[in-house]
Amino acid sequence: MAKRQRSQVERYHDRVAGLYDTIYDGDPYWEVVFQITWRHLLRHFPKDMGTRCLDVGCGTGRWGMRFAKAGYRTDFLDISRKMLDQVGGKLAALGRPRSDIFAMPGAPRPDLPDDSRPLLWHAALDDLSALPSGAYGFIVWQGDPLNCAEKPGKAFREMARLLAPGGVMAMSVDNRLQGIYHYFKDGDVKGLAEFLRTGKTNWITDDPEERYRITMFTPGQIRAMCRERGLELVSLVGKTVLPLRRFRGLLDDPGKRAELTRLEESLHAEEALFANAAHLEFIARKPERHVSRQFDA
Ligand SMILES: C[S@@+](CC[C@H](N)C(=O)[O-])C[C@H]1O[C@@H](n2cnc3c(N)ncnc32)[C@H](O)[C@@H]1O
């Protein structure tokens, strides 16, 4: 990952780390999104209590902390040291010691402790070479960290390497189909053509020093990435296919919230509705290793 891009991604997330949970807490739209996400993940979570989990782009540990609290051995990875500090604080509150591993690009290869403390990987998606192959039975990457990787294809390939045979990954990405309107609004037809070709655009923040390039994905691309890495695409959904964000006020009424949540979950795998969704989320499984047969000569 180019150093400038990396430092902008890191800088932005370091700045928001302390506020991050409060941005979402108490917002009915996000409460529904998180509830739906959680149910989607759990449907595909490996049953074995020995499953080792990795929360990638963990932020403040919204997902990984749930697995850790439930007793699964869970490691966390983020480019932002300050996000990892938030996770460290939550683990400390549970009385769980952890090991911090510095594995940012250019760092010498770290020694890994041989106990079962949670590992907090300070690492970037663009260089995951320090992480052990086939170690994780469940990898969650929510909140679209892949968008910020300079080479998303390489990051995805690496993540498939970390997955154990039979392991499952659950990932959300920004939906390219949702970026189109922005270019129409600005009358930028040339920009639109380029965006549709590459999926690359800028993450807009007030401070130009914190702006960085992101990649948005199409459903077809997700299928292709899984196919190329030999992963079985188990589920692909839009988040959210109903206009729940725009009409979030409806979600204040418990009865309407329950009904809209039910409707959303009944529709979110409908491909025809994917263009409505800000995010695409998918679950992919790595097949069990094939046992090679021995034949007599
Ligand atoms: C939008 S937050 C999502 C946090 C959390 N997963 C959640 O769902 O609440 C994205 C996280 O990905 C991390 N991230 C972004 N780019 C990354 C990269 N290239 N390598 C590792 N982490 C990255 C950010 O620091 C941030 O914590």
Side-chain angles (χ1 to χ4, degrees):
M1 189 180 203
K3 202 157 186 286
R4 179 168 162 77
Q5 160 89 358
R6 190 162 64 234
S7 66
Q8 283 158 313
V9 173
E10 207 176 341
R11 181 181 155 138
Y12 171 76
H13 289 98
D14 274 350
R15 181 171 68 73
V16 299
L19 308 166
Y20 191 74
D21 286 340
T22 61
I23 299 172
Y24 299 96
D25 287 351
D27 181 320
Y29 168 73
W30 285 110
E31 281 174 8
V32 168
V33 167
F34 295 150
Q35 185 187 23
I36 291 172
T37 302
W38 183 238
R39 281 207 283 253
H40 190 217
L41 301 191
L42 284 190
R43 270 205 298 283
H44 302 281
F45 191 85
K47 303 278 176 282
D48 181 1
M49 266 311 282
T51 299
R52 186 171 168 189
C53 305
L54 177 65
D55 186 348
V56 176
C58 59
T60 56
R62 183 185 315 283
W63 306 102
M65 283 305 299
R66 296 189 190 209
F67 303 128
K69 279 184 188 160
Y72 291 92
R73 178 172 176 191
T74 306
D75 298 337
F76 299 82
L77 182 150
D78 208 284
I79 199 170
S80 158
R81 182 64 254 173
K82 294 226 161 92
M83 288 287 193
L84 291 167
D85 289 344
Q86 297 286 322
V87 175
K90 290 178 185 180
L91 287 169
L94 294 177
R96 305 256 177 100
R98 91 287 173 143
S99 293
D100 290 358
I101 312 272
F102 184 72
M104 287 291 272
R109 179 154 299 216
D111 292 329
L112 300 186
D114 54 8
D115 56 37
S116 62
R117 279 178 290 171
L119 306 180
L120 267 52
W121 290 97
H122 186 197
L125 275 171
D126 295 277
D127 183 0
L128 298 170
S129 52
L131 280 88
S133 298
Y136 294 103
F138 193 77
I139 298 179
V140 59
W141 34 356
Q142 288 289 321
D144 327 311
L146 189 66
N147 297 10
C148 307
E150 175 130 312
K151 294 188 178 150
K154 182 180 168 213
F156 190 78
R157 183 184 72 215
E158 277 291 270
M159 212 50 80
R161 174 181 69 80
L162 305 185
L163 210 52
V168 170
M169 65 162 75
M171 168 162 135
S172 76
V173 290
D174 277 338
N175 182 7
R176 193 179 305 177
L177 306 173
Q178 283 270 310
I180 293 172
Y181 177 75
H182 167 78
Y183 290 89
F184 272 91
K185 189 168 56 61
D186 292 348
D188 182 4
V189 175
K190 202 164 162 229
L192 173 67
E194 185 60 9
F195 169 66
L196 288 174
R197 192 178 68 77
T198 63
K200 302 269 183 212
T201 189
N202 288 318
W203 171 253
I204 309 293
T205 63
D206 293 339
D207 179 353
E209 279 303 302
E210 289 178 346
R211 286 192 191 153
Y212 50 85
R213 299 288 278 166
I214 60 166
T215 312
M216 297 172 86
F217 297 85
T218 63
Q221 239 180 326
I222 291 171
R223 284 204 180 78
M225 285 195 307
C226 290
R227 205 171 42 242
E228 281 160 19
R229 294 295 140 223
L231 302 180
E232 177 199 355
L233 183 63
V234 184
S235 172
L236 174 60
V237 302
K239 262 190 348 189
T240 58
V241 297
L242 294 176
L244 301 183
R245 188 172 201 162
R246 184 152 165 227
F247 297 101
R248 52 165 37 92
L250 291 174
L251 302 171
D252 289 332
D253 177 306
K256 287 181 181 163
R257 180 190 289 211
E259 184 61 359
L260 286 169
T261 303
R262 188 187 70 73
L263 290 171
E264 172 67 27
E265 286 179 306
S266 72
L267 290 170
H268 67 177
E270 289 286 349
E271 289 246 16
L273 298 177
F274 282 177
N276 296 348
H279 300 99
L280 298 169
E281 177 171 289
F282 67 95
I283 312 274
R285 180 179 296 118
K286 188 171 189 170
E288 296 287 350
R289 213 181 299 261
H290 294 150
V291 179
S292 59
R293 291 187 180 188
Q294 301 287 325
F295 290 102
D296 293 335

